[in-house]
Amino acid sequence: MKDGQIAILFDIDGTLVDSVYTHVVAWHEAFCQAGLTVPLWEVHRRVGMDGGLLVDELLALAGVEDSDPKRPELADDMSEGHSRIYRAAAQRSLRVLPGAREVVKRAKTLGFVVVLASSAPQEELELTRGLLDIEEHVDAVTSGEDVDTAKPDATLVKIAIERAGVTPSNAIMVGDATWDAIAATKAGARPVGVLTGGVSACALRDAGASLVFQDCRDLALDLENAVQSLTSDSGGGV
Amino acid sequence: MKDGQIAILFDIDGTLVDSVYTHVVAWHEAFCQAGLTVPLWEVHRRVGMDGGLLVDELLALAGVEDSDPKRPELADDMSEGHSRIYRAAAQRSLRVLPGAREVVKRAKTLGFVVVLASSAPQEELELTRGLLDIEEHVDAVTSGEDVDTAKPDATLVKIAIERAGVTPSNAIMVGDATWDAIAATKAGARPVGVLTGGVSACALRDAGASLVFQDCRDLALDLENAVQSLTSDSGGGV
């Protein structure tokens, strides 16, 4: 290992907890209930980005004009609807992803700082953190309340790096979404991708992830090598 | 246009109708109801492949051994559960994808043979074909009843080509799943990808799709050029 402390920043939704598809269906259902149609793949590829930005883009896709006087109210309704439908489904359907707890414990055992770098709202975080039950291995947490605009904006990753107390180049961001990789790159951190959010390896690589693992179980098995290759000057690639 | 009749074979689920995520959630729910856990992304990437093969692979992922005496009954339960949950949700949630009707009509206007090359069971096909309401523009149809094993096996695409009455190299298969592109390539047809099933363009290209469009609306706008580039000797690429 190189000089200096190393931190691993974990996204939660789609990375540690199998919640991406529940979010997709909840957003879609909120739009349906308002009589608006958005293709589900268009929702899926936006999960993990800032919620306000996601709603703006989906309202535009659904044909709601920027100048429509009902638009601000519709945006609030979509956010509220998603939150309500997601929480109702989450109680029943959320599962911890393979290797999620193991990779966090392994990171601590290897002496890395562990941050849960989510931009989900507090009430959603309570659900996923409660399910994960790994708080004793976690050094810091971020949430949607820490920033005005979440990923792909870099601010949330920068805050996670600050809370970890490491230099950006010693921070590794593990995430399932292209937005994680884009935000991590902007913040000067090293993005690692996992396939558990349903985004292809090639798409994660295109977004900047230099290493892509099937899931956190695979990453846990190779964590020490992965960290070494990412924090050496040359970076790494699979 | 080149010599000889040209056919366009359309996959339905995820290509013409926005049903992939409904299938994903229905399969997942069937496994949950049996007390089995499978990550949702592992379900998603298998939608569009043969149903029997999908169940086999997901049972293995859920930790059910090949030698388990309950396995054949579990496989039947999963198929029945998926079908029941899918149909209940489909009535409410299925939507025609952008440009689906337009691309089929445009194909007929340009003089191409149109085949709906689905491997869905008849009862699911009735739902999606009823919703599409394009039967007057369709020359032939396939279903899961036509084959023992569906995509990525090539048999279903071969049957669709036979029913179209064209040579394989004059058949263009439009699909959202890697399985469509793989099956079409094996059958000697030309695969075209669309993003509406939630599979990335790079993954569709890796599976053999030489042209990838956002959706059928984009394909409809460029259909004549796309067909020309695909059926010329050199093939085509975007």
Side-chain angles (χ1 to χ4, degrees), chain B residues 185-217:
Chain B
T185 305
K186 282 187 196 162
R190 317 287 190 174
V192 169
V194 285
L195 303 183
T196 38
V199 178
S200 306
C202 50
L204 292 170
R205 285 198 193 94
D206 287 351
S210 51
L211 290 176
V212 178
F213 292 85
Q214 171 155 316
D215 53 20
C216 281
R217 183 166 51 189

Side-chain angles (χ1 to χ4, degrees), chain B:
Chain B
M1 219 52 59
K2 308 275 291 180
D3 295 331
Q5 184 68 57
I6 286 168
I8 310 196
L9 323 176
F10 291 98
D11 171 60
I12 295 179
D13 286 281
T15 301
L16 299 178
V17 175
D18 197 3
S19 59
V20 162
Y21 292 80
T22 308
H23 280 295
V24 172
V25 171
W27 281 116
H28 186 256
E29 180 65 23
F31 276 74
C32 283
Q33 287 182 4
L36 298 170
T37 297
V38 284
L40 279 144
W41 76 281
E42 295 271 22
V43 185
H44 185 189
R45 70 187 204 83
R46 287 175 176 82
V47 166
M49 69 157 45
D50 179 72
L53 203 57
L54 176 148
V55 169
D56 277 351
E57 293 190 8
L58 292 184
L59 282 174
L61 272 177
V64 179
E65 303 278 347
D66 273 349
S67 58
D68 189 324
K70 285 188 192 157
R71 186 169 170 136
E73 194 186 329
L74 267 177
D76 288 345
D77 287 352
M78 295 307 98
S79 292
E80 187 277 325
H82 159 263
S83 180
R84 178 174 39 80
I85 298 161
Y86 172 78
R87 277 179 290 136
Q91 301 281 3
R92 193 173 45 83
S93 71
L94 289 197
R95 300 282 186 280
V96 174
L97 280 161
R101 293 188 185 112
E102 290 73 7
V103 78
V104 168
K105 288 178 196 168
R106 180 99 185 108
K108 282 310 290 178
T109 305
L110 291 170
F112 307 136
V113 181
V114 170
V115 183
L116 300 182
S118 173
S119 58
Q122 280 296 354
E123 57 193 20
E124 290 180 16
L125 270 185
E126 280 166 27
L127 284 173
T128 48
R129 288 170 66 184
L131 197 65
L132 278 166
D133 191 21
I134 48 166
E135 298 296 312
E136 65 191 295
H137 308 288
V138 171
D139 299 295
V141 179
T142 68
S143 82
E145 270 87 83
D146 290 318
V147 287
D148 291 329
T149 305
K151 303 162 196 165
D153 187 276
T155 311
L156 190 122
V157 180
K158 286 180 182 168
I159 291 171
I161 293 169
E162 270 172 36
R163 290 187 187 166
V166 302
T167 57
S169 62
N170 277 346
I172 291 162
M173 170 84 217
V174 182
D176 65 295
T178 55
W179 318 112
D180 297 313
I182 293 167
T185 305
K186 282 187 196 162
R190 317 287 190 174
V192 169
V194 285
L195 303 183
T196 38
V199 178
S200 306
C202 50
L204 292 170
R205 285 198 193 94
D206 287 351
S210 51
L211 290 176
V212 178
F213 292 85
Q214 171 155 316
D215 53 20
C216 281
R217 183 166 51 189
D218 275 10
L219 174 59
L221 291 173
D222 201 36
L223 188 60
E224 201 165 6
N225 284 333
V227 169
Q228 235 159 1
S229 77
L230 288 163
T231 53
S232 69
D233 287 333
S234 59
V238 158

Side-chain angles (χ1 to χ4, degrees), chain A residues 100-140:
Chain A
R101 294 189 185 108
E102 291 73 6
V103 77
V104 169
K105 288 178 197 166
R106 180 98 188 108
K108 282 310 292 178
T109 306
L110 290 171
F112 306 135
V113 181
V114 170
V115 183
L116 300 182
S118 174
S119 59
Q122 280 296 354
E123 56 192 23
E124 290 180 17
L125 269 184
E126 280 168 26
L127 283 173
T128 49
R129 288 170 66 182
L131 196 67
L132 278 165
D133 191 22
I134 48 168
E135 299 295 312
E136 66 192 292
H137 308 288
V138 171
D139 299 295

